[in-house]
Amino acid sequence: MKRRTLPVAAAFAAAATLMLTACGGGDDKSGDSDKIAGSDQGTEKPSKSAAPSGAPAEDKPDGVDVSLPADMNLVFDWEKPKDGNEAAAMDDAANFFRAIYRGVDKRTTKDASVTAYATGDGLKYAETQVNAWIDGGWTATGTLRHYDATTRSAANGKSVEVAFCADAGKFYGKEIKTDKVLKTEPSIEDFDHYKIIMVKYPTGTGLWQASKVFVETKAAKCQ
């Protein structure tokens, strides 16, 4: 059985009241003038800086190592918006997901990348996800594709909603002890739709952190 969905399901059960909103099919409509949920969320300082590593420069945005193993491929198939803040928030939304799977690979929620790119409920989401994979005895392998991204800025200029689809049809769990890759047939369970509320870290460095995560699972609109 594919273990990509089981860790996520375990995380949902453990922290559903904390971080997840299930969206109704086709009813998730909001105008640009709507207030972004969580747009007044504060930020927290990353708890530590990244340790030096052999990662290439492109794997160390903001000086934080978000490199992943060669068999753990996160693809972000989207175009950057013209707005500078929205483009930066989109970049760091991608880094937030890289940080989660780096935590899965390193078997810890304390990796510098996790604490750098997440704050508040976003940090709790990341920790819950990483711990679910650790508790299950799994790591990940394959390609996880993210696409159809949109961005929307809050009026205060301090937060950006980054929404996108994810296709995990070629992304699998792998048992740590046996290296067995756990697969299933492709299904609607491979598709999720995310809304990430990214907040600007108040240092002028351009760092954005995920403060809230809303997920629609089995997202038919992403097929």
Side-chain angles (χ1 to χ4, degrees), residues 4-15:
R4 197 278 313 180
T5 54
L6 289 184
V8 173
F12 289 176

Side-chain angles (χ1 to χ4, degrees), residues 60-180:
K60 297 172 65 176
D62 304 300
V64 180
D65 191 351
V66 291
S67 59
L68 296 170
D71 67 335
M72 194 184 292
N73 187 25
L74 271 60
V75 174
F76 298 90
D77 187 12
W78 56 42
E79 294 183 4
K80 291 184 182 180
K82 293 181 180 180
D83 180 88
N85 278 345
E86 292 184 1
M90 178 180 281
D91 282 344
D92 284 346
N95 289 329
F96 170 63
F97 277 83
R98 293 186 182 104
I100 289 175
Y101 286 102
R102 181 173 171 82
V104 170
D105 176 57
K106 300 300 182 183
R107 319 306 289 167
T108 179
T109 61
K110 303 303 182 183
D111 189 83
S113 62
V114 176
T115 55
Y117 289 108
T119 186
D121 287 352
L123 179 57
K124 294 172 185 176
Y125 173 88
E127 290 173 341
T128 302
Q129 292 291 311
V130 173
N131 281 329
W133 287 83
I134 293 173
D135 292 346
W138 313 304
T139 186
T141 188
T143 298
L144 178 58
R145 179 172 170 256
H146 307 78
Y147 53 100
D148 287 352
T150 61
T151 54
R152 185 163 61 104
S153 297
N156 62 12
K158 295 181 179 179
S159 68
V160 173
E161 176 190 276
V162 182
F164 54 89
C165 289
D167 176 4
K170 297 180 180 179
F171 196 63
Y172 309 106
K174 183 171 69 172
E175 293 180 349
I176 296 291
K177 291 183 178 180
T178 66
D179 281 337
K180 181 181 179 181

